[in-house]
Amino acid sequence: MTVCKGYLKIIWRNMGQNLMYLAIVLFVTIGMASQTEKTQTDLFRRGSVGIAVVDEDGGAAADGVIRFLRKNNDVTLTGASAEALSRKLYYREIDFVIRIPKGFTTSLFDSSAKNEQAKLVVSSVPGSTEGQLMRAELSQCLNRMRALRASGMTDEEACERAGALADDEAAVTIRKGKGTGESQPGYLYAFRLLPYLYLSVSIYAVGTVMQAFSSRTVRARIAASPVTGSGMAVQRSLAFFVLFAGLWLVSMLLPALTGHPEFYGAEHIGLYIGNSLLLLADSAALAMLTGSLIRSTQALSAMVNIIGLGVSFMCGVFVPLDLMGKGMQSVGRFLPFY
């Protein structure tokens, strides 16, 4: 078992470096799993738009528009020039600009007034969703003010009642598509990221060890030894088996580290464990192949990033396959983690 002991000595010599890399990747994996676990319902929430308002009117309608906007947005009253506001839009310091001209209230509620054309002047970043959203909401608010004023209310009452429009919240219901059953357990998201964890750590650890045996002198001395080629392969595999077993045991702590200890009593825990072992076997094979081809530390770091991130992305680890194009899915089908 001389070869096996030699590999184990090198693994132990690099253990500190490997553990540091494992901790980094593990930390990233836990963070990604925690973010992915957020329910889709939480993603559907009202966003706040940065709005600058230049009020030249000061009437009831102007106050009503400002109160309406402030309920869900970050509104700033300003007297800045058009050039200064355009500069802020350009640098994305604000998302929307509204200028309320003098006589706006009279123009809004009295169509026969001479200043009938005193309308809101709005500007936003061309094509921005914030601009489209605010234009639509302003149109709804102004139409509501006109309708309430025409019903007999005073200017102040109509503006106050129209402002209640911002209090309405749309009810969002997510329907389950085909093939979806009950809600997915929280620990599932951690297991979705196992390919990334296995690939990154195993390629780095195996590559570091195999670099020690890649020099011509070491290979010549090994070839002259009385150990057969098959015996060397078996002993090398045994040494790496110890390394991969340790990695697998650490990965089985992911459910607990992400706050889901209920995994250890789950009904289908056997399927999860079996699937993780298959993923580890694929990662070990790819790590052995990559380690036999790499001759420098710089190349090793590059391969870890390219293979770990690239394969994980194309196989649906980071992005659901339903969101990927057909071309990307066709390429991913040839990879073992698809």
Side-chain angles (χ1 to χ4, degrees):
M1 302 294 287
T2 305
V3 176
C4 180
K5 291 180 180 179
Y7 273 88
L8 289 176
K9 283 184 178 180
I10 297 177
I11 292 175
W12 180 255
R13 184 183 305 168
N14 297 301
M15 185 60 65
Q17 189 175 1
N18 292 334
L19 288 177
M20 181 183 68
Y21 191 80
L22 173 62
I24 294 173
V25 177
L26 194 63
F27 178 78
V28 173
T29 304
I30 294 173
M32 294 175 64
S34 300
Q35 290 296 322
T36 309
E37 187 185 347
K38 291 182 178 180
T39 60
Q40 295 297 318
T41 305
D42 293 339
L43 299 178
F44 290 91
R45 60 180 181 270
R46 171 63 188 248
S48 178
V49 178
I51 303 174
V53 179
V54 180
D55 185 8
E56 301 174 354
D57 180 60
D63 292 340
V65 169
I66 294 173
R67 288 198 303 270
F68 169 78
L69 295 174
R70 276 180 169 164
K71 290 186 177 180
N72 293 312
N73 305 287
D74 182 15
V75 178
T76 302
L77 292 176
T78 180
S81 63
E83 181 181 356
L85 293 175
S86 299
R87 190 182 303 113
K88 289 187 176 182
L89 277 177
Y90 178 80
Y91 289 107
R92 302 301 192 271
E93 296 179 13
I94 54 177
D95 303 308
F96 200 68
V97 176
I98 303 176
R99 187 177 69 85
I100 305 177
K102 187 176 181 180
F104 169 71
T105 301
T106 305
S107 175
L108 180 67
F109 295 135
D110 187 3
S111 59
S112 63
K114 294 182 179 181
N115 54 356
E116 181 180 356
Q117 301 302 321
K119 298 181 180 180
L120 294 179
V121 180
V122 299
S123 57
S124 62
V125 177
S128 65
T129 55
E130 292 85 358
Q132 299 297 329
L133 172 65
M134 296 315 304
R135 283 181 172 86
E137 291 195 346
L138 280 174
S139 178
Q140 287 181 331
C141 179
L142 297 179
N143 291 336
R144 179 72 65 87
M145 286 182 179
R146 292 191 188 97
L148 293 173
R149 181 65 177 84
S151 66
M153 293 184 180
T154 62
D155 293 353
E156 291 74 13
E157 290 175 342
C159 295
E160 183 177 354
R161 291 287 298 274
L165 178 66
D167 297 332
D168 297 336
E169 294 184 0
V172 178
T173 302
I174 300 178
R175 296 182 178 272
K176 296 178 180 179
K178 296 181 179 179
T180 58
E182 299 179 354
S183 59
Q184 297 175 339
Y187 50 79
L188 174 64
Y189 301 100
F191 277 86
R192 278 183 53 187
L193 296 170
L194 280 185
Y196 171 68
L197 174 65
Y198 286 161
L199 281 172
S200 300
V201 177
S202 60
I203 292 176
Y204 185 83
V206 172
T208 302
V209 175
M210 297 190 71
Q211 280 186 50
F213 293 88
S214 61
S215 66
R216 179 179 299 181
T217 303
V218 175
R219 286 188 283 112
R221 293 178 62 183
I222 292 176
S225 67
V227 183
T228 63
S230 59
M232 292 176 56
V234 171
Q235 293 187 47
R236 180 173 60 241
S237 300
L238 181 60
F240 282 130
F241 175 81
V242 176
L243 176 65
F244 295 138
L247 175 59
W248 179 80
L249 290 175
V250 172
S251 68
M252 289 299 101
L253 297 176
L254 271 179
L257 294 176
T258 54
H260 296 284
E262 68 273 11
F263 162 75
Y264 304 103
E267 180 181 359
H268 303 294
I269 185 175
L271 295 177
Y272 281 95
I273 292 177
N275 188 50
S276 66
L277 292 174
L278 289 175
L279 291 174
L280 182 61
D282 287 335
S283 301
L286 190 55
M288 296 286 288
L289 174 62
T290 306
S292 63
L293 300 176
I294 293 176
R295 295 292 182 268
S296 65
T297 305
Q298 292 79 6
L300 176 61
S301 300
M303 293 302 291
V304 169
N305 293 326
I306 293 173
I307 297 178
L309 294 175
V311 171
S312 299
F313 175 77
M314 290 188 292
C315 294
V317 176
F318 298 145
V319 181
L321 292 173
D322 296 340
L323 302 180
M324 298 171 62
K326 292 184 179 180
M328 187 67 70
Q329 292 187 29
S330 300
V331 175
R333 291 180 190 275
F334 292 95
L335 299 174
F337 303 98
Y338 179 80

